[in-house]
Amino acid sequence: MSIEILQPGLSTTIQDSGRNGYQKHGVVVGGAMDPFALRMGNLLVGNEEGAAVIEATLIGPKLLFHEDHLIAISGGDLSPKISGKPVPSWRPVWVKAGSVLAFGHAQKGCRAYVAIAGGIDVPIVMGSRSTYVRAKLGGLEGRALKAGDRIPIGKTNADCFSLDKKGDAPFSTVSWSIGENAIPSYENRSVRTIGGPEFKDFTEESQTRFYEDEFQIAPQSDRMGYRLSGPDLQLKKPKEQISEAVSAGTIQVPPGGSPIILLADRQTTGGYPKIGYVATIDLPILAQKKPGDTLRFQNITVKEAQHALLLRERAINQLKCSIKLMKTGGFKRV
């Protein structure tokens, strides 16, 4: 079973939950930029949460389904249509063989995810199927997808769903979806942030402006990190420090004073002063920002960040139970 890429879009890759456990060897984690969308899409089609999916950025691809497939689209709104008809996100969708899924431009957010029941069955490299383009690692030949590619799909037990396979409609869907209150507020311009170990080494003016001023995502931003333009953040005095491990959401400030937020394809270590960390709970919001978007940093404590994350995980567990119960709710032709 496979899906064919008719048009690749701007930057379309295969991603899963990342290449964990190899940072000590200098291998980046990578994986989906929006981990919440990855998990939800997979849960909606009965996959493991971290299974490989298609990640589309800004301008999505055009996909041809050679067989019937159960899919779910999650993340940002890239105007998805199946055979010319708008298709809803955040719910299971049964796609008939011969149908074409096409994306337009981003309406909200900038990254959409297509999870397919059975998962994408490319080879596992160092524990992950994720694509890391810079090292030509994982995914399909370690590169972004291109026209003519055939994406192999793993075996699935999609028949456990109550499906309406009759009729000529290109796809069928359910009458339920993940509630809007459970989806991250992608349009939110504020991201919760914990002060970093070098926060007090910055001037008082820089400390104040970091939380009170607005920053804009620069065009040079990518999966490795977001470069921000805005107020220059300066140290009280020059400081040399040893490089140390960095995590997703780390906010480093190079000598020029413009901060960089490290993201999925970040390097494994960094030596620039760390003024803060974006809380894990808000990494999906950050992942859906595109060049030109603005954001502000909201100061919270470690305890508040942990509490927010625990609440979200509790909500995800409740969603798992709900999805399991709704699997027999039936599909309707659209």
Side-chain angles (χ1 to χ4, degrees), residues 220-257:
Q220 298 82 4
S221 301
D222 56 19
R223 282 178 47 89
M224 184 175 181
Y226 282 176
R227 295 180 178 271
L228 305 181
S229 60
D232 286 338
L233 306 177
Q234 298 297 329
L235 294 167
K236 295 175 182 176
K237 58 181 179 180
K239 181 178 182 179
E240 292 185 7
Q241 57 190 72
I242 298 174
S243 292
E244 56 187 7
V246 292
S247 60
T250 298
I251 307 171
Q252 292 188 324
V253 183

Side-chain angles (χ1 to χ4, degrees), residues 1 106 108 132 146 148 151 162 185 199 216 236 263 279 321:
M1 297 179 72
K108 180 172 68 175
Y132 179 43
K146 63 182 181 180
I151 310 302
S162 178
S185 301
F199 181 81
Q216 186 176 54
K236 295 175 182 176
L263 296 170
C321 295

Side-chain angles (χ1 to χ4, degrees), residues 34 36-37 56-60 73-80 88-90 103-113 177-189 226 284-291 293:
D34 184 342
F36 179 85
T57 303
L58 288 174
I59 301 174
I73 302 170
S74 57
D77 180 3
L78 269 60
S79 310
S89 299
W90 302 103
F103 291 87
H105 292 271
Q107 301 298 319
K108 180 172 68 175
C110 70
R111 289 182 172 86
Y113 295 82
S177 66
I178 294 176
E180 290 186 5
N181 60 336
I183 300 170
S185 301
Y186 291 138
E187 294 177 316
N188 194 343
R189 292 195 303 165
Y226 282 176
I285 294 175
L286 194 62
Q288 293 294 344
K289 300 298 180 189
K290 56 185 178 295
D293 285 349

Side-chain angles (χ1 to χ4, degrees), residues 122-265:
V122 293
I124 296 175
V125 180
M126 302 178 76
S128 172
R129 292 183 168 92
S130 281
T131 309
Y132 179 43
V133 174
R134 280 186 171 86
K136 298 182 180 179
L137 190 68
L140 195 66
E141 301 176 355
R143 57 169 170 77
L145 300 177
K146 63 182 181 180
D149 284 341
R150 298 287 288 260
I151 310 302
I153 307 300
K155 294 181 180 180
T156 179
N157 187 26
D159 287 337
C160 68
F161 291 82
S162 178
L163 302 170
D164 179 5
K165 301 181 182 179
K166 299 178 181 179
D168 298 325
F171 69 94
S172 305
T173 187
V174 294
S175 58
W176 54 269
S177 66
I178 294 176
E180 290 186 5
N181 60 336
I183 300 170
S185 301
Y186 291 138
E187 294 177 316
N188 194 343
R189 292 195 303 165
S190 176
V191 291
R192 287 166 282 188
T193 308
I194 303 160
E198 286 79 51
F199 181 81
K200 292 183 178 179
D201 293 333
F202 287 84
T203 64
E204 290 186 7
E205 180 185 3
S206 294
Q207 293 177 30
T208 300
R209 298 191 72 180
F210 178 68
Y211 285 118
E212 293 186 356
D213 285 16
E214 194 171 70
F215 293 85
Q216 186 176 54
I217 299 173
Q220 298 82 4
S221 301
D222 56 19
R223 282 178 47 89
M224 184 175 181
Y226 282 176
R227 295 180 178 271
L228 305 181
S229 60
D232 286 338
L233 306 177
Q234 298 297 329
L235 294 167
K236 295 175 182 176
K237 58 181 179 180
K239 181 178 182 179
E240 292 185 7
Q241 57 190 72
I242 298 174
S243 292
E244 56 187 7
V246 292
S247 60
T250 298
I251 307 171
Q252 292 188 324
V253 183
S258 297
I260 301 172
I261 309 175
L262 303 183
L263 296 170
D265 285 353

